[in-house]
Amino acid sequence: DARVTQTPRHKVTEMGQEVTMRCQPILGHNTVFWYRQTMMQGLELLAYFRNRAPLDDSGMPKDRFSAEMPDATLATLKIQPSEPRDSAVYFCASGLVTGGQTEAFFGQGTRLTVV
Amino acid sequence: EDQVTQSPEALRLQEGESSSLNCSYTVSGLRGLFWYRQDPGKGPEFLFTLYSAGEEKEKERLKATLTKKESFLHITAPKPEDSATYLCAVRSTGFQKLVFGTGTRLLVSP
Protein backbone atom coordinates (compact mmCIF):
# COMPACT_ATOMS: atom_id res chain seq x y z
CA ASP A 1 0.00 0.00 0.00
CA ALA A 2 1.91 3.06 -1.30
CA ARG A 3 1.77 6.06 0.96
CA VAL A 4 3.64 9.22 1.88
CA THR A 5 5.43 8.80 5.20
CA GLN A 6 6.21 11.75 7.46
CA THR A 7 8.29 11.85 10.61
CA PRO A 8 7.95 12.81 13.36
CA ARG A 9 4.16 12.81 13.75
CA HIS A 10 4.35 15.23 16.67
CA LYS A 11 7.04 17.65 17.77
CA VAL A 12 7.12 20.03 20.72
CA THR A 13 10.07 22.36 20.86
CA GLU A 14 11.17 25.55 22.50
CA MET A 15 11.35 28.82 20.67
CA GLY A 16 14.72 29.29 19.00
CA GLN A 17 15.39 25.59 18.50
CA GLU A 18 15.95 23.97 15.12
CA VAL A 19 13.22 21.68 13.81
CA THR A 20 13.62 19.18 10.98
CA MET A 21 10.66 17.38 9.43
CA ARG A 22 11.13 14.49 7.05
CA CYS A 23 9.07 13.03 4.26
CA GLN A 24 9.37 9.88 2.20
CA PRO A 25 7.35 10.35 -1.00
CA ILE A 26 5.60 7.54 -2.82
CA LEU A 27 8.10 5.57 -4.87
CA GLY A 28 8.09 6.75 -8.48
CA HIS A 29 6.49 10.11 -7.81
CA ASN A 30 8.45 13.02 -9.23
CA THR A 31 6.80 15.98 -7.51
CA VAL A 32 6.88 16.75 -3.78
CA PHE A 33 4.95 19.49 -2.00
CA TRP A 34 5.22 20.94 1.50
CA TYR A 35 2.03 22.49 2.92
CA ARG A 36 1.26 24.09 6.27
CA GLN A 37 -2.23 23.91 7.77
CA THR A 38 -3.62 26.21 10.45
CA MET A 39 -7.14 26.91 11.56
CA MET A 40 -6.91 30.51 10.39
CA GLN A 41 -5.21 30.05 7.00
CA GLY A 42 -6.10 26.53 5.97
CA LEU A 43 -3.64 24.74 3.71
CA GLU A 44 -0.84 26.98 2.44
CA LEU A 45 1.83 25.87 0.01
CA LEU A 46 5.35 26.40 1.32
CA ALA A 47 7.45 24.80 -1.42
CA TYR A 48 7.46 22.16 -4.09
CA PHE A 49 9.99 20.15 -6.02
CA ARG A 50 9.96 18.36 -9.33
CA ASN A 51 12.58 15.72 -9.99
CA ARG A 52 14.25 16.93 -6.78
CA ALA A 53 14.70 20.49 -8.09
CA PRO A 54 12.96 23.29 -6.20
CA LEU A 55 10.36 24.93 -8.45
CA ASP A 56 8.67 27.32 -6.07
CA ASP A 57 9.46 28.18 -2.47
CA SER A 58 7.79 31.58 -2.46
CA GLY A 59 5.45 30.51 0.35
CA MET A 60 8.30 30.01 2.82
CA PRO A 61 9.80 32.62 5.13
CA LYS A 62 13.26 32.54 3.59
CA ASP A 63 15.11 33.70 6.64
CA ARG A 64 14.13 30.71 8.77
CA PHE A 65 12.71 27.96 6.55
CA SER A 66 14.57 25.74 4.14
CA ALA A 67 13.46 22.75 2.07
CA GLU A 68 15.64 20.18 0.35
CA MET A 69 15.51 16.84 -1.41
CA PRO A 70 18.83 15.11 -0.81
CA ASP A 71 17.62 12.13 -2.82
CA ALA A 72 14.45 10.83 -4.46
CA THR A 73 13.31 9.06 -1.30
CA LEU A 74 13.70 11.92 1.16
CA ALA A 75 12.45 15.49 1.43
CA THR A 76 13.20 17.69 4.42
CA LEU A 77 11.75 20.89 5.80
CA LYS A 78 13.84 22.73 8.34
CA ILE A 79 12.99 25.68 10.57
CA GLN A 80 15.82 27.53 12.27
CA PRO A 81 15.18 29.28 14.59
CA SER A 82 11.62 28.20 15.34
CA GLU A 83 9.02 30.66 16.63
CA PRO A 84 5.62 30.15 18.31
CA ARG A 85 3.86 31.37 15.15
CA ASP A 86 5.31 28.35 13.32
CA SER A 87 3.01 26.09 15.33
CA ALA A 88 0.89 24.24 12.77
CA VAL A 89 0.49 20.90 11.03
CA TYR A 90 3.00 20.45 8.22
CA PHE A 91 2.02 18.13 5.39
CA CYS A 92 4.12 16.60 2.69
CA ALA A 93 2.43 15.41 -0.49
CA SER A 94 3.76 13.68 -3.57
CA GLY A 95 2.47 13.23 -7.08
CA LEU A 96 3.40 11.96 -10.51
CA VAL A 97 3.28 14.55 -13.25
CA THR A 98 2.11 12.85 -16.45
CA GLY A 99 0.74 14.77 -19.42
CA GLY A 100 0.47 17.84 -17.26
CA GLN A 101 -1.82 16.26 -14.68
CA THR A 102 -0.87 15.98 -11.06
CA GLU A 103 -2.86 14.39 -8.27
CA ALA A 104 -1.19 14.94 -4.94
CA PHE A 105 -1.28 12.32 -2.19
CA PHE A 106 -0.74 13.54 1.34
CA GLY A 107 1.08 12.13 4.32
CA GLN A 108 -0.34 12.14 7.84
CA GLY A 109 1.43 15.35 8.76
CA THR A 110 3.77 16.57 11.49
CA ARG A 111 2.05 18.52 14.25
CA LEU A 112 4.54 21.13 15.42
CA THR A 113 4.14 23.06 18.66
CA VAL A 114 6.66 25.78 19.46
CA VAL A 115 6.49 27.02 23.05
CA GLU B 1 -4.00 35.12 -8.33
CA ASP B 2 -5.86 31.81 -8.08
CA GLN B 3 -8.62 31.77 -5.49
CA VAL B 4 -10.91 29.10 -4.10
CA THR B 5 -13.95 29.77 -1.92
CA GLN B 6 -15.93 26.98 -0.30
CA SER B 7 -19.40 27.15 1.19
CA PRO B 8 -20.90 26.55 3.59
CA GLU B 9 -18.14 26.57 6.21
CA ALA B 10 -20.01 23.93 8.17
CA LEU B 11 -22.96 21.69 7.40
CA ARG B 12 -24.94 19.46 9.68
CA LEU B 13 -27.13 16.75 8.12
CA GLN B 14 -29.25 13.94 9.36
CA GLU B 15 -28.36 10.49 8.08
CA GLY B 16 -30.00 10.07 4.69
CA GLU B 17 -30.47 13.81 4.11
CA SER B 18 -28.84 14.61 0.76
CA SER B 19 -27.08 17.94 0.15
CA SER B 20 -24.37 19.70 -1.84
CA LEU B 21 -21.13 21.48 -1.03
CA ASN B 22 -19.97 24.37 -3.20
CA CYS B 23 -16.51 25.32 -4.44
CA SER B 24 -16.19 28.57 -6.40
CA TYR B 25 -12.91 29.33 -8.10
CA THR B 26 -11.04 31.88 -10.15
CA VAL B 27 -7.95 30.78 -12.04
CA SER B 28 -6.02 32.03 -15.04
CA GLY B 29 -6.46 28.69 -16.77
CA LEU B 30 -7.85 25.61 -15.07
CA ARG B 31 -5.68 22.52 -15.27
CA GLY B 32 -7.65 20.55 -12.71
CA LEU B 33 -10.06 20.87 -9.81
CA PHE B 34 -9.50 18.45 -6.93
CA TRP B 35 -11.68 17.27 -4.08
CA TYR B 36 -10.17 15.86 -0.90
CA ARG B 37 -11.60 14.50 2.32
CA GLN B 38 -9.81 15.18 5.61
CA ASP B 39 -10.53 13.41 8.87
CA PRO B 40 -9.38 14.92 12.19
CA GLY B 41 -5.69 14.36 12.81
CA LYS B 42 -5.09 12.97 9.32
CA GLY B 43 -3.84 14.19 5.99
CA PRO B 44 -6.19 15.05 3.13
CA GLU B 45 -7.34 11.97 1.21
CA PHE B 46 -7.73 12.33 -2.54
CA LEU B 47 -11.28 11.86 -3.88
CA PHE B 48 -11.67 13.26 -7.41
CA THR B 49 -10.06 15.29 -10.16
CA LEU B 50 -12.18 17.19 -12.68
CA TYR B 51 -10.63 18.81 -15.73
CA SER B 52 -13.33 20.38 -17.86
CA ALA B 53 -16.76 21.95 -17.52
CA GLY B 54 -19.54 19.38 -17.68
CA GLU B 55 -17.40 16.60 -16.28
CA GLU B 56 -18.81 14.47 -13.47
CA LYS B 57 -17.27 11.79 -11.28
CA GLU B 58 -18.82 9.48 -8.71
CA LYS B 59 -17.60 7.43 -5.79
CA GLU B 60 -20.08 5.66 -3.56
CA ARG B 61 -22.39 8.38 -2.17
CA LEU B 62 -20.35 11.25 -3.58
CA LYS B 63 -20.66 12.90 -6.96
CA ALA B 64 -18.54 15.83 -8.10
CA THR B 65 -19.54 18.16 -10.93
CA LEU B 66 -17.76 21.05 -12.61
CA THR B 67 -18.78 24.26 -14.38
CA LYS B 68 -16.61 27.10 -15.61
CA LYS B 69 -16.90 28.90 -12.27
CA GLU B 70 -17.66 26.33 -9.62
CA SER B 71 -17.79 22.73 -8.57
CA PHE B 72 -20.31 20.90 -6.46
CA LEU B 73 -19.84 17.86 -4.30
CA HIS B 74 -23.19 16.16 -4.01
CA ILE B 75 -23.69 13.78 -1.11
CA THR B 76 -26.59 11.36 -1.53
CA ALA B 77 -28.11 9.68 1.54
CA PRO B 78 -25.08 10.41 3.71
CA LYS B 79 -24.01 8.20 6.60
CA PRO B 80 -22.25 9.20 9.83
CA GLU B 81 -18.96 7.90 8.41
CA ASP B 82 -19.14 10.62 5.75
CA SER B 83 -18.49 13.18 8.49
CA ALA B 84 -15.25 14.97 7.65
CA THR B 85 -13.88 18.20 6.24
CA TYR B 86 -14.11 18.33 2.45
CA LEU B 87 -11.46 20.40 0.71
CA CYS B 88 -11.46 21.75 -2.81
CA ALA B 89 -8.30 22.77 -4.68
CA VAL B 90 -7.39 24.05 -8.14
CA ARG B 91 -4.33 23.89 -10.31
CA SER B 92 -3.79 26.51 -12.97
CA THR B 93 -1.89 26.54 -16.22
CA GLY B 94 1.85 26.59 -15.83
CA PHE B 95 1.89 25.59 -12.19
CA GLN B 96 2.05 22.26 -10.39
CA LYS B 97 0.89 23.57 -7.05
CA LEU B 98 -2.63 23.14 -5.71
CA VAL B 99 -4.41 26.14 -4.20
CA PHE B 100 -6.86 25.04 -1.54
CA GLY B 101 -10.08 26.44 -0.15
CA THR B 102 -10.66 26.48 3.59
CA GLY B 103 -13.01 23.52 3.46
CA THR B 104 -16.53 22.54 4.51
CA ARG B 105 -16.90 20.69 7.80
CA LEU B 106 -19.64 18.09 7.37
CA LEU B 107 -21.29 16.40 10.31
CA VAL B 108 -23.81 13.63 9.65
CA SER B 109 -25.89 12.62 12.64
CA PRO B 110 -27.47 9.17 12.98
Side-chain angles (χ1 to χ4, degrees), chain A residues 29 35 42-43 51 55-56 64 68 80 86 91 95 99 105:
Chain A
H29 281 186
Y35 282 88
L43 273 164
N51 295 325
L55 290 190
D56 184 352
R64 300 185 299 108
E68 295 180 344
Q80 167 63 16
D86 301 328
F91 287 105
F105 296 87

mmCIF file of all heavy atoms in Angstrom, chain A residues 29 35 42-43 51 55-56 64 68 80 86 91 95 99 105:
data_model
loop_
_atom_site.group_PDB
_atom_site.id
_atom_site.type_symbol
_atom_site.label_atom_id
_atom_site.label_comp_id
_atom_site.label_asym_id
_atom_site.label_seq_id
_atom_site.Cartn_x
_atom_site.Cartn_y
_atom_site.Cartn_z
ATOM 1 N N HIS A 29 7.042 8.761 -7.650
ATOM 2 C CA HIS A 29 6.490 10.110 -7.810
ATOM 3 C C HIS A 29 7.628 11.106 -8.028
ATOM 4 O O HIS A 29 8.683 11.003 -7.411
ATOM 5 C CB HIS A 29 5.681 10.514 -6.578
ATOM 6 C CG HIS A 29 4.318 9.914 -6.563
ATOM 7 N ND1 HIS A 29 3.372 10.243 -5.610
ATOM 8 C CD2 HIS A 29 3.725 9.024 -7.396
ATOM 9 C CE1 HIS A 29 2.258 9.575 -5.863
ATOM 10 N NE2 HIS A 29 2.452 8.825 -6.943
ATOM 11 N N TYR A 35 3.125 21.592 2.551
ATOM 12 C CA TYR A 35 2.034 22.487 2.923
ATOM 13 C C TYR A 35 2.016 22.672 4.434
ATOM 14 O O TYR A 35 2.436 21.799 5.184
ATOM 15 C CB TYR A 35 0.674 21.899 2.506
ATOM 16 C CG TYR A 35 0.328 22.045 1.047
ATOM 17 C CD1 TYR A 35 0.726 21.093 0.125
ATOM 18 C CD2 TYR A 35 -0.409 23.130 0.593
ATOM 19 C CE1 TYR A 35 0.390 21.220 -1.223
ATOM 20 C CE2 TYR A 35 -0.746 23.266 -0.751
ATOM 21 C CZ TYR A 35 -0.339 22.305 -1.642
ATOM 22 O OH TYR A 35 -0.676 22.437 -2.965
ATOM 23 N N GLY A 42 -5.886 27.733 6.776
ATOM 24 C CA GLY A 42 -6.101 26.534 5.974
ATOM 25 C C GLY A 42 -4.782 25.980 5.467
ATOM 26 O O GLY A 42 -3.751 26.143 6.096
ATOM 27 N N LEU A 43 -4.830 25.345 4.298
ATOM 28 C CA LEU A 43 -3.638 24.737 3.706
ATOM 29 C C LEU A 43 -2.914 25.768 2.845
ATOM 30 O O LEU A 43 -3.454 26.277 1.873
ATOM 31 C CB LEU A 43 -4.024 23.543 2.840
ATOM 32 C CG LEU A 43 -4.147 22.199 3.539
ATOM 33 C CD1 LEU A 43 -4.889 21.213 2.664
ATOM 34 C CD2 LEU A 43 -2.776 21.652 3.908
ATOM 35 N N ASN A 51 11.316 16.429 -9.729
ATOM 36 C CA ASN A 51 12.575 15.723 -9.986
ATOM 37 C C ASN A 51 13.690 16.258 -9.090
ATOM 38 O O ASN A 51 14.831 16.464 -9.534
ATOM 39 C CB ASN A 51 12.962 15.848 -11.460
ATOM 40 C CG ASN A 51 11.966 15.166 -12.371
ATOM 41 O OD1 ASN A 51 11.400 14.121 -12.027
ATOM 42 N ND2 ASN A 51 11.718 15.745 -13.530
ATOM 43 N N LEU A 55 11.017 24.146 -7.422
ATOM 44 C CA LEU A 55 10.355 24.929 -8.454
ATOM 45 C C LEU A 55 9.746 26.213 -7.894
ATOM 46 O O LEU A 55 9.646 27.209 -8.592
ATOM 47 C CB LEU A 55 9.262 24.117 -9.143
ATOM 48 C CG LEU A 55 9.714 22.965 -10.032
ATOM 49 C CD1 LEU A 55 8.537 22.415 -10.820
ATOM 50 C CD2 LEU A 55 10.810 23.419 -10.983
ATOM 51 N N ASP A 56 9.331 26.150 -6.650
ATOM 52 C CA ASP A 56 8.672 27.318 -6.066
ATOM 53 C C ASP A 56 8.772 27.207 -4.558
ATOM 54 O O ASP A 56 8.281 26.238 -3.982
ATOM 55 C CB ASP A 56 7.203 27.368 -6.497
ATOM 56 C CG ASP A 56 6.472 28.611 -6.006
ATOM 57 O OD1 ASP A 56 7.046 29.371 -5.208
ATOM 58 O OD2 ASP A 56 5.322 28.830 -6.431
ATOM 59 N N ARG A 64 14.121 31.760 7.753
ATOM 60 C CA ARG A 64 14.130 30.710 8.769
ATOM 61 C C ARG A 64 13.769 29.325 8.232
ATOM 62 O O ARG A 64 14.026 28.330 8.882
ATOM 63 C CB ARG A 64 13.163 31.079 9.891
ATOM 64 C CG ARG A 64 13.511 32.381 10.596
ATOM 65 C CD ARG A 64 12.590 32.642 11.778
ATOM 66 N NE ARG A 64 11.193 32.755 11.383
ATOM 67 C CZ ARG A 64 10.265 31.846 11.641
ATOM 68 N NH1 ARG A 64 10.602 30.731 12.303
ATOM 69 N NH2 ARG A 64 9.020 32.025 11.267
ATOM 70 N N GLU A 68 14.685 20.846 1.228
ATOM 71 C CA GLU A 68 15.640 20.182 0.347
ATOM 72 C C GLU A 68 15.144 18.791 0.005
ATOM 73 O O GLU A 68 14.289 18.228 0.693
ATOM 74 C CB GLU A 68 17.006 20.050 1.055
ATOM 75 C CG GLU A 68 17.690 21.355 1.366
ATOM 76 C CD GLU A 68 19.029 21.142 2.061
ATOM 77 O OE1 GLU A 68 19.281 20.028 2.565
ATOM 78 O OE2 GLU A 68 19.813 22.097 2.102
ATOM 79 N N GLN A 80 14.755 27.114 11.359
ATOM 80 C CA GLN A 80 15.816 27.527 12.268
ATOM 81 C C GLN A 80 15.974 29.046 12.230
ATOM 82 O O GLN A 80 16.352 29.572 11.173
ATOM 83 C CB GLN A 80 17.133 26.840 11.888
ATOM 84 C CG GLN A 80 18.382 27.386 12.548
ATOM 85 C CD GLN A 80 18.410 27.242 14.069
ATOM 86 O OE1 GLN A 80 17.637 26.473 14.625
ATOM 87 N NE2 GLN A 80 19.255 27.972 14.733
ATOM 88 N N ASP A 86 5.104 29.482 14.227
ATOM 89 C CA ASP A 86 5.306 28.352 13.316
ATOM 90 C C ASP A 86 4.484 27.137 13.727
ATOM 91 O O ASP A 86 4.445 26.131 13.003
ATOM 92 C CB ASP A 86 6.792 27.950 13.278
ATOM 93 C CG ASP A 86 7.687 29.094 12.831
ATOM 94 O OD1 ASP A 86 7.223 29.923 12.019
ATOM 95 O OD2 ASP A 86 8.834 29.151 13.314
ATOM 96 N N PHE A 91 2.303 19.296 6.219
ATOM 97 C CA PHE A 91 2.023 18.134 5.386
ATOM 98 C C PHE A 91 2.992 18.077 4.215
ATOM 99 O O PHE A 91 3.306 19.098 3.596
ATOM 100 C CB PHE A 91 0.600 18.192 4.824
ATOM 101 C CG PHE A 91 -0.475 17.906 5.826
ATOM 102 C CD1 PHE A 91 -1.249 18.932 6.340
ATOM 103 C CD2 PHE A 91 -0.721 16.607 6.246
ATOM 104 C CE1 PHE A 91 -2.242 18.681 7.264
ATOM 105 C CE2 PHE A 91 -1.711 16.340 7.170
ATOM 106 C CZ PHE A 91 -2.476 17.382 7.684
ATOM 107 N N GLY A 95 3.278 13.507 -5.917
ATOM 108 C CA GLY A 95 2.472 13.226 -7.082
ATOM 109 C C GLY A 95 3.337 12.881 -8.266
ATOM 110 O O GLY A 95 4.553 13.115 -8.264
ATOM 111 N N GLY A 99 1.598 14.027 -18.508
ATOM 112 C CA GLY A 99 0.743 14.772 -19.424
ATOM 113 C C GLY A 99 0.193 16.039 -18.820
ATOM 114 O O GLY A 99 -0.888 16.484 -19.187
ATOM 115 N N PHE A 105 -0.897 13.223 -3.273
ATOM 116 C CA PHE A 105 -1.275 12.322 -2.188
ATOM 117 C C PHE A 105 -0.528 12.765 -0.935
ATOM 118 O O PHE A 105 0.693 12.911 -0.959
ATOM 119 C CB PHE A 105 -0.944 10.875 -2.570
ATOM 120 C CG PHE A 105 -1.730 10.398 -3.753
ATOM 121 C CD1 PHE A 105 -1.274 10.605 -5.043
ATOM 122 C CD2 PHE A 105 -2.957 9.770 -3.584
ATOM 123 C CE1 PHE A 105 -2.008 10.200 -6.148
ATOM 124 C CE2 PHE A 105 -3.697 9.349 -4.672
ATOM 125 C CZ PHE A 105 -3.226 9.566 -5.954
#
